[in-house]
Amino acid sequence: MMTDIVIPRRLVLCLILFLSIVTYGQEDSLSAPTDSLLPAVPWPVCVQQRLDGLMESGMFERSQLGLMVYDLTADSVIFRRGERQLMRPASTMKLFTAVAAIERLGGSYRFSTDLRYDGEVTDATLTGHLYCIGGFDPLFNIDDMRAFVESVKNMGIDTIRGAIVADKSMKDTLRLGEGWCWDDDNPILSPLLISRRDVFVKRFIDELQQAGITVEATEEEGVTPCETFPLCTRFHSIDQVLMRMMKQSDNLFAESMFYHLALSNGHRPATAEMARRAIRQLIKRCGGTSSYCRVADGSGLSLYNYVTAEQEVMLLRYAYKQSNIFLHLQPSLPVAGEDGTLRSRMKGGFANGNVRAKTGTLTAISSLAGYLTAPNGHVLCFSIINQGLSSEREGRLFQDQLCDALCQP
């Protein structure tokens, strides 16, 4: 006796769906939408896979890499390679100088240069001295100098009998940084510069004479006494200095910031060791070990600077969490494909206009450290230090590809 076999409707539908998929695959296997049947690779596994692929580059057979990528939104490490190896940071050292200075000096800090005088003014003649007091303002220019001259004219002075004194007591007498190469284009570490040159008093006298003021005075160097009177003060803000220091990677501006950081402990003259101590203290506050690094200067020119990618990421995390710091740091960083030292890099890719980072270049060294926003909206910070390169261009290309991989949807 035969009985009817009842097949559930749900099973029939599943069989029909299965056969249709198989048939579709046989008819047009090249265009079958197999990817849509596979689950999407979740964040951050997808980006980790991309970065793993970049690690296969042959450049790492002959060079070293310090790399760390941190998800600030998720508070977790995304990727790391050699992140605790001590390496020369080149100009990413400026990040340490900038963050320490913003925190110690404050966002309203000014870099000022003062003109004072002593003696008496009789019959339009100053019988006394003019004191040019250097404040290591790297932006002091001819317009500022002419304001000095105008302040003398406004006193009704047409003759100066005495001395024009250059007061450089703000810092020590060292004119070069520790570990700088003698044949590099090094900035002059003088606190009294005009348009980056150490010719302040000579230029001042020339401008006074061109303004019709007779200068019967000697050129001297000394310290301004307490019993003097103010004539003029010219200044520039910390943000103005930061912008040039970071966007253009200007070494003079970074060393100026370094020595102003040294002054934050209240002692004069400022020394490099005072600034180094402040940066080592900052590294401790960021959660790092200050003994596990070497700080020599504020610009990254020195061959004696050694930090790790992990320490740079700790610094970037710290700055991001401190709104009073990040408010000044973030706008100063070069933007990929748009301005500063990143103007011609990462153009047209996913990183264009997204990555904000400090570049660094020395012989055989290329570095990049900063921030970007991932496709899922998370803010990331990263540090990449390539050392032992046969070509710095090779390092920049790798960094650009890595940033593009982090920004890619």
Side-chain angles (χ1 to χ4, degrees):
M1 181 177 178
M2 303 229 6
T3 58
D4 292 333
I5 299 174
V6 179
I7 300 175
R9 178 180 175 83
R10 184 175 298 174
L11 180 57
V12 172
L13 292 173
C14 288
L15 287 170
I16 292 170
L17 178 60
F18 173 77
L19 289 172
S20 67
I21 292 172
V22 171
T23 303
Y24 182 88
Q26 291 173 342
E27 291 176 352
D28 190 5
S29 59
L30 293 178
S31 60
T34 53
D35 289 347
S36 64
L37 301 177
L38 298 174
V41 179
W43 175 271
V45 177
C46 56
V47 75
Q48 290 166 343
Q49 291 175 348
R50 292 176 199 145
L51 300 191
D52 276 329
L54 291 175
M55 297 303 110
E56 301 300 320
S57 171
M59 67 184 285
F60 298 121
E61 295 177 5
R62 58 187 183 278
S63 66
Q64 302 82 51
L65 172 66
L67 167 64
M68 191 169 186
V69 182
Y70 198 91
D71 188 328
L72 292 163
T73 305
D75 198 20
S76 62
V77 176
I78 289 179
F79 200 85
R80 63 177 90 203
R81 283 287 190 283
E83 75 280 4
R84 292 187 176 177
Q85 294 187 70
L86 280 169
M87 294 185 173
R88 291 172 180 160
S91 280
T92 56
M93 192 71 206
K94 292 181 175 70
L95 286 165
F96 291 91
T97 304
V99 172
I102 296 167
E103 183 176 55
R104 285 284 193 103
L105 304 176
S108 60
Y109 189 79
R110 294 174 171 181
F111 293 65
S112 62
T113 308
D114 296 305
L115 179 65
R116 301 179 71 89
Y117 77 99
D118 63 11
E120 296 181 352
V121 178
T122 306
D123 297 329
T125 298
L126 170 63
T127 305
H129 302 336
L130 288 175
Y131 297 90
C132 305
I133 307 169
F136 210 156
D137 178 2
L139 282 166
F140 192 97
N141 58 30
I142 188 61
D143 291 334
D144 299 303
M145 180 68 80
R146 286 170 180 162
F148 271 21
V149 173
E150 192 64 25
S151 70
V152 175
K153 289 182 66 177
N154 289 341
M155 286 276 292
I157 296 170
D158 62 21
T159 304
I160 300 169
R161 291 177 180 152
I164 310 294
V165 181
D167 186 342
K168 302 180 180 181
S169 61
M170 172 257 189
K171 67 173 289 295
D172 58 28
T173 57
L174 296 178
R175 292 169 66 85
L176 295 174
E178 182 185 13
W180 288 8
C181 292
W182 66 270
D183 56 349
D184 275 351
D185 183 19
N186 297 313
I188 300 170
L189 302 183
S190 169
L192 194 57
L193 301 172
I194 174 168
S195 302
R196 308 177 72 93
R197 300 178 62 204
D198 191 16
V199 292
F200 196 100
V201 170
K202 182 180 184 306
R203 190 65 182 272
F204 185 36
I205 291 174
D206 289 345
E207 292 295 326
L208 286 167
Q209 291 173 336
Q210 287 182 30
I213 298 173
T214 301
V215 180
E216 300 173 357
T218 58
E219 298 179 35
E220 297 181 8
E221 190 168 320
V223 179
T224 306
C226 296
E227 301 79 17
T228 57
F229 307 98
L231 264 177
C232 186
T233 297
R234 299 292 287 184
F235 62 83
H236 294 92
S237 70
I238 191 170
D239 284 327
Q240 288 175 295
V241 176
L242 267 174
M243 199 64 65
R244 175 70 177 265
M245 166 184 164
M246 304 300 275
K247 293 282 189 187
Q248 305 302 326
S249 200
D250 194 300
N251 295 319
L252 174 63
F253 283 55
E255 294 303 326
S256 168
M257 191 78 74
F258 190 64
Y259 275 94
H260 278 270
L261 173 61
L263 286 179
S264 64
N265 66 5
H267 299 294
R268 296 170 72 97
T271 67
E273 183 51 40
M274 292 176 185
R276 293 181 196 126
R277 191 177 303 126
I279 290 176
R280 288 194 293 266
Q281 291 168 353
L282 170 65
I283 291 171
K284 283 184 180 179
R285 288 195 297 278
C286 294
T289 305
S290 61
S291 59
Y292 190 49
C293 67
R294 179 77 160 79
V295 178
D297 66 9
S299 62
L301 271 176
S302 176
L303 299 181
Y304 300 161
N305 290 313
Y306 279 96
V307 300
T308 69
E310 182 179 57
Q311 286 170 336
E312 289 198 335
V313 163
M314 285 181 173
L315 177 79
L316 292 168
R317 286 176 59 198
Y318 181 80
Y320 182 76
K321 292 177 182 178
Q322 312 295 320
S323 59
N324 58 317
I325 296 175
F326 197 68
L327 176 69
H328 299 276
L329 178 67
Q330 195 248 15
S332 74
L333 295 173
V335 181
E338 294 187 3
D339 65 21
T341 54
L342 286 179
R343 179 185 297 276
S344 61
R345 292 176 59 176
M346 304 181 228
K347 276 185 173 293
F350 297 110
N352 195 136
N354 186 345
V355 171
R356 287 181 175 265
K358 184 69 199 72
T359 58
T361 305
L362 284 173
T363 301
I365 296 166
S366 182
S367 56
L368 186 70
Y371 303 92
L372 62 87
T373 301
N376 64 349
H378 287 203
V379 179
L380 312 183
C381 66
F382 63 90
S383 169
I384 314 166
I385 306 175
N386 293 106
Q387 184 170 278
L389 298 169
S390 57
S391 163
E392 291 83 32
R393 182 179 178 277
E394 186 178 40
R396 290 193 292 270
L397 178 60
F398 167 76
Q399 294 156 15
D400 293 355
Q401 290 173 335
L402 190 146
C403 287
D404 212 53
L406 291 172
C407 297
Q408 181 181 339

mmCIF file of all heavy atoms in Angstrom, residues 184-209:
data_model
loop_
_atom_site.group_PDB
_atom_site.id
_atom_site.type_symbol
_atom_site.label_atom_id
_atom_site.label_comp_id
_atom_site.label_asym_id
_atom_site.label_seq_id
_atom_site.Cartn_x
_atom_site.Cartn_y
_atom_site.Cartn_z
ATOM 1 N N ASP A 184 75.385 71.078 7.181
ATOM 2 C CA ASP A 184 73.963 71.275 6.900
ATOM 3 C C ASP A 184 73.629 72.770 6.837
ATOM 4 O O ASP A 184 74.416 73.614 7.266
ATOM 5 C CB ASP A 184 73.098 70.624 7.983
ATOM 6 C CG ASP A 184 72.845 69.148 7.716
ATOM 7 O OD1 ASP A 184 73.193 68.678 6.613
ATOM 8 O OD2 ASP A 184 72.314 68.474 8.601
ATOM 9 N N ASP A 185 72.458 73.085 6.326
ATOM 10 C CA ASP A 185 71.969 74.467 6.308
ATOM 11 C C ASP A 185 71.295 74.737 7.654
ATOM 12 O O ASP A 185 70.070 74.759 7.768
ATOM 13 C CB ASP A 185 70.989 74.661 5.148
ATOM 14 C CG ASP A 185 70.505 76.095 5.042
ATOM 15 O OD1 ASP A 185 71.166 76.989 5.608
ATOM 16 O OD2 ASP A 185 69.448 76.321 4.423
ATOM 17 N N ASN A 186 72.118 74.940 8.671
ATOM 18 C CA ASN A 186 71.616 75.053 10.039
ATOM 19 C C ASN A 186 71.177 76.475 10.363
ATOM 20 O O ASN A 186 71.832 77.445 9.949
ATOM 21 C CB ASN A 186 72.705 74.641 11.033
ATOM 22 C CG ASN A 186 73.115 73.191 10.888
ATOM 23 O OD1 ASN A 186 72.270 72.310 10.796
ATOM 24 N ND2 ASN A 186 74.408 72.936 10.857
ATOM 25 N N PRO A 187 70.092 76.636 11.122
ATOM 26 C CA PRO A 187 69.693 77.971 11.574
ATOM 27 C C PRO A 187 70.642 78.480 12.649
ATOM 28 O O PRO A 187 71.317 77.704 13.324
ATOM 29 C CB PRO A 187 68.296 77.736 12.149
ATOM 30 C CG PRO A 187 68.307 76.316 12.601
ATOM 31 C CD PRO A 187 69.163 75.585 11.618
ATOM 32 N N ILE A 188 70.720 79.809 12.778
ATOM 33 C CA ILE A 188 71.569 80.428 13.806
ATOM 34 C C ILE A 188 70.751 80.597 15.072
ATOM 35 O O ILE A 188 69.692 81.229 15.049
ATOM 36 C CB ILE A 188 72.096 81.785 13.326
ATOM 37 C CG1 ILE A 188 72.931 81.613 12.057
ATOM 38 C CG2 ILE A 188 72.919 82.464 14.418
ATOM 39 C CD1 ILE A 188 73.297 82.920 11.390
ATOM 40 N N LEU A 189 71.238 80.056 16.167
ATOM 41 C CA LEU A 189 70.482 80.089 17.421
ATOM 42 C C LEU A 189 70.799 81.360 18.213
ATOM 43 O O LEU A 189 71.353 81.322 19.311
ATOM 44 C CB LEU A 189 70.783 78.838 18.258
ATOM 45 C CG LEU A 189 70.475 77.510 17.576
ATOM 46 C CD1 LEU A 189 70.740 76.341 18.534
ATOM 47 C CD2 LEU A 189 69.024 77.475 17.093
ATOM 48 N N SER A 190 70.445 82.484 17.630
ATOM 49 C CA SER A 190 70.595 83.767 18.314
ATOM 50 C C SER A 190 69.204 84.289 18.661
ATOM 51 O O SER A 190 68.289 84.211 17.836
ATOM 52 C CB SER A 190 71.302 84.776 17.415
ATOM 53 O OG SER A 190 71.212 86.079 17.987
ATOM 54 N N PRO A 191 69.038 84.856 19.867
ATOM 55 C CA PRO A 191 67.716 85.371 20.252
ATOM 56 C C PRO A 191 67.404 86.742 19.666
ATOM 57 O O PRO A 191 66.326 87.274 19.884
ATOM 58 C CB PRO A 191 67.805 85.443 21.775
ATOM 59 C CG PRO A 191 69.244 85.691 22.040
ATOM 60 C CD PRO A 191 70.001 84.946 20.972
ATOM 61 N N LEU A 192 68.351 87.305 18.903
ATOM 62 C CA LEU A 192 68.139 88.638 18.344
ATOM 63 C C LEU A 192 68.430 88.583 16.850
ATOM 64 O O LEU A 192 69.543 88.848 16.383
ATOM 65 C CB LEU A 192 69.044 89.657 19.043
ATOM 66 C CG LEU A 192 68.746 91.138 18.824
ATOM 67 C CD1 LEU A 192 67.323 91.483 19.240
ATOM 68 C CD2 LEU A 192 69.746 92.006 19.570
ATOM 69 N N LEU A 193 67.399 88.205 16.089
ATOM 70 C CA LEU A 193 67.524 88.050 14.645
ATOM 71 C C LEU A 193 66.546 88.985 13.945
ATOM 72 O O LEU A 193 65.500 89.325 14.482
ATOM 73 C CB LEU A 193 67.192 86.610 14.230
ATOM 74 C CG LEU A 193 68.030 85.477 14.820
ATOM 75 C CD1 LEU A 193 67.430 84.131 14.437
ATOM 76 C CD2 LEU A 193 69.473 85.571 14.341
ATOM 77 N N ILE A 194 66.909 89.353 12.716
ATOM 78 C CA ILE A 194 65.962 90.023 11.839
ATOM 79 C C ILE A 194 65.951 89.279 10.516
ATOM 80 O O ILE A 194 67.013 89.072 9.902
ATOM 81 C CB ILE A 194 66.288 91.520 11.624
ATOM 82 C CG1 ILE A 194 65.335 92.101 10.574
ATOM 83 C CG2 ILE A 194 67.742 91.748 11.265
ATOM 84 C CD1 ILE A 194 65.331 93.584 10.463
ATOM 85 N N SER A 195 64.778 88.864 10.102
ATOM 86 C CA SER A 195 64.627 88.085 8.869
ATOM 87 C C SER A 195 65.604 86.914 8.842
ATOM 88 O O SER A 195 66.275 86.664 7.845
ATOM 89 C CB SER A 195 64.815 88.980 7.647
ATOM 90 O OG SER A 195 63.882 90.033 7.668
ATOM 91 N N ARG A 196 65.738 86.251 9.999
ATOM 92 C CA ARG A 196 66.540 85.034 10.189
ATOM 93 C C ARG A 196 68.041 85.290 10.259
ATOM 94 O O ARG A 196 68.820 84.350 10.420
ATOM 95 C CB ARG A 196 66.261 84.012 9.067
ATOM 96 C CG ARG A 196 64.805 83.697 8.837
ATOM 97 C CD ARG A 196 64.633 82.747 7.678
ATOM 98 N NE ARG A 196 65.089 81.406 8.035
ATOM 99 C CZ ARG A 196 64.295 80.453 8.510
ATOM 100 N NH1 ARG A 196 62.997 80.682 8.691
ATOM 101 N NH2 ARG A 196 64.780 79.267 8.792
ATOM 102 N N ARG A 197 68.482 86.543 10.171
ATOM 103 C CA ARG A 197 69.915 86.851 10.137
ATOM 104 C C ARG A 197 70.372 87.508 11.433
ATOM 105 O O ARG A 197 69.652 88.304 12.036
ATOM 106 C CB ARG A 197 70.232 87.755 8.938
ATOM 107 C CG ARG A 197 69.874 87.126 7.585
ATOM 108 C CD ARG A 197 70.164 88.086 6.457
ATOM 109 N NE ARG A 197 71.586 88.430 6.393
ATOM 110 C CZ ARG A 197 72.065 89.542 5.847
ATOM 111 N NH1 ARG A 197 71.224 90.457 5.358
ATOM 112 N NH2 ARG A 197 73.369 89.771 5.805
ATOM 113 N N ASP A 198 71.614 87.227 11.807
ATOM 114 C CA ASP A 198 72.186 87.762 13.041
ATOM 115 C C ASP A 198 72.918 89.076 12.755
ATOM 116 O O ASP A 198 74.128 89.200 12.943
ATOM 117 C CB ASP A 198 73.154 86.721 13.629
ATOM 118 C CG ASP A 198 73.588 87.089 15.039
ATOM 119 O OD1 ASP A 198 72.939 87.953 15.661
ATOM 120 O OD2 ASP A 198 74.588 86.518 15.516
ATOM 121 N N VAL A 199 72.143 90.068 12.284
ATOM 122 C CA VAL A 199 72.706 91.387 11.936
ATOM 123 C C VAL A 199 71.809 92.487 12.504
ATOM 124 O O VAL A 199 71.650 93.551 11.898
ATOM 125 C CB VAL A 199 72.852 91.530 10.402
ATOM 126 C CG1 VAL A 199 73.924 90.593 9.865
ATOM 127 C CG2 VAL A 199 71.513 91.273 9.695
ATOM 128 N N PHE A 200 71.226 92.233 13.653
ATOM 129 C CA PHE A 200 70.165 93.090 14.171
ATOM 130 C C PHE A 200 70.629 94.536 14.380
ATOM 131 O O PHE A 200 70.003 95.481 13.858
ATOM 132 C CB PHE A 200 69.636 92.518 15.489
ATOM 133 C CG PHE A 200 68.322 93.086 15.914
ATOM 134 C CD1 PHE A 200 67.155 92.390 15.701
ATOM 135 C CD2 PHE A 200 68.244 94.325 16.535
ATOM 136 C CE1 PHE A 200 65.919 92.911 16.091
ATOM 137 C CE2 PHE A 200 67.014 94.853 16.928
ATOM 138 C CZ PHE A 200 65.854 94.144 16.706
ATOM 139 N N VAL A 201 71.689 94.734 15.147
ATOM 140 C CA VAL A 201 72.111 96.094 15.502
ATOM 141 C C VAL A 201 72.566 96.857 14.261
ATOM 142 O O VAL A 201 72.234 98.042 14.088
ATOM 143 C CB VAL A 201 73.213 96.047 16.575
ATOM 144 C CG1 VAL A 201 73.840 97.442 16.767
ATOM 145 C CG2 VAL A 201 72.645 95.556 17.894
ATOM 146 N N LYS A 202 73.317 96.201 13.403
ATOM 147 C CA LYS A 202 73.772 96.872 12.170
ATOM 148 C C LYS A 202 72.566 97.322 11.340
ATOM 149 O O LYS A 202 72.540 98.453 10.840
ATOM 150 C CB LYS A 202 74.649 95.917 11.356
ATOM 151 C CG LYS A 202 75.207 96.543 10.081
ATOM 152 C CD LYS A 202 76.070 95.559 9.323
ATOM 153 C CE LYS A 202 76.706 96.214 8.094
ATOM 154 N NZ LYS A 202 75.724 96.860 7.208
ATOM 155 N N ARG A 203 71.584 96.445 11.209
ATOM 156 C CA ARG A 203 70.397 96.796 10.420
ATOM 157 C C ARG A 203 69.609 97.918 11.097
ATOM 158 O O ARG A 203 69.056 98.800 10.425
ATOM 159 C CB ARG A 203 69.526 95.553 10.248
ATOM 160 C CG ARG A 203 68.386 95.733 9.261
ATOM 161 C CD ARG A 203 68.921 95.958 7.839
ATOM 162 N NE ARG A 203 67.836 96.169 6.902
ATOM 163 C CZ ARG A 203 67.206 95.191 6.254
ATOM 164 N NH1 ARG A 203 67.558 93.919 6.467
ATOM 165 N NH2 ARG A 203 66.256 95.466 5.395
ATOM 166 N N PHE A 204 69.563 97.902 12.425
ATOM 167 C CA PHE A 204 68.852 98.937 13.169
ATOM 168 C C PHE A 204 69.497 100.299 12.931
ATOM 169 O O PHE A 204 68.813 101.306 12.678
ATOM 170 C CB PHE A 204 68.847 98.581 14.652
ATOM 171 C CG PHE A 204 68.034 99.509 15.521
ATOM 172 C CD1 PHE A 204 66.843 100.073 15.071
ATOM 173 C CD2 PHE A 204 68.456 99.810 16.810
ATOM 174 C CE1 PHE A 204 66.086 100.915 15.876
ATOM 175 C CE2 PHE A 204 67.711 100.654 17.627
ATOM 176 C CZ PHE A 204 66.531 101.208 17.159
ATOM 177 N N ILE A 205 70.816 100.333 12.986
ATOM 178 C CA ILE A 205 71.531 101.597 12.755
ATOM 179 C C ILE A 205 71.282 102.086 11.334
ATOM 180 O O ILE A 205 71.040 103.292 11.100
ATOM 181 C CB ILE A 205 73.041 101.416 13.025
ATOM 182 C CG1 ILE A 205 73.266 101.192 14.531
ATOM 183 C CG2 ILE A 205 73.830 102.624 12.527
ATOM 184 C CD1 ILE A 205 74.699 100.847 14.898
ATOM 185 N N ASP A 206 71.324 101.194 10.361
ATOM 186 C CA ASP A 206 71.058 101.580 8.965
ATOM 187 C C ASP A 206 69.663 102.188 8.818
ATOM 188 O O ASP A 206 69.490 103.213 8.143
ATOM 189 C CB ASP A 206 71.171 100.356 8.045
ATOM 190 C CG ASP A 206 72.607 99.885 7.872
ATOM 191 O OD1 ASP A 206 73.530 100.653 8.213
ATOM 192 O OD2 ASP A 206 72.790 98.739 7.411
ATOM 193 N N GLU A 207 68.671 101.566 9.447
ATOM 194 C CA GLU A 207 67.293 102.061 9.349
ATOM 195 C C GLU A 207 67.131 103.398 10.065
ATOM 196 O O GLU A 207 66.389 104.273 9.595
ATOM 197 C CB GLU A 207 66.324 101.023 9.922
ATOM 198 C CG GLU A 207 66.207 99.746 9.113
ATOM 199 C CD GLU A 207 65.603 99.986 7.734
ATOM 200 O OE1 GLU A 207 64.734 100.879 7.597
ATOM 201 O OE2 GLU A 207 66.016 99.301 6.784
ATOM 202 N N LEU A 208 67.818 103.576 11.195
ATOM 203 C CA LEU A 208 67.776 104.864 11.902
ATOM 204 C C LEU A 208 68.343 105.967 11.013
ATOM 205 O O LEU A 208 67.758 107.061 10.901
ATOM 206 C CB LEU A 208 68.578 104.767 13.204
ATOM 207 C CG LEU A 208 67.943 103.984 14.356
ATOM 208 C CD1 LEU A 208 68.974 103.715 15.450
ATOM 209 C CD2 LEU A 208 66.733 104.717 14.934
ATOM 210 N N GLN A 209 69.465 105.679 10.387
ATOM 211 C CA GLN A 209 70.101 106.689 9.535
ATOM 212 C C GLN A 209 69.255 107.002 8.306
ATOM 213 O O GLN A 209 69.157 108.167 7.897
ATOM 214 C CB GLN A 209 71.497 106.202 9.131
ATOM 215 C CG GLN A 209 72.469 106.164 10.305
ATOM 216 C CD GLN A 209 73.806 105.538 9.961
ATOM 217 O OE1 GLN A 209 73.902 104.730 9.017
ATOM 218 N NE2 GLN A 209 74.840 105.892 10.699
#
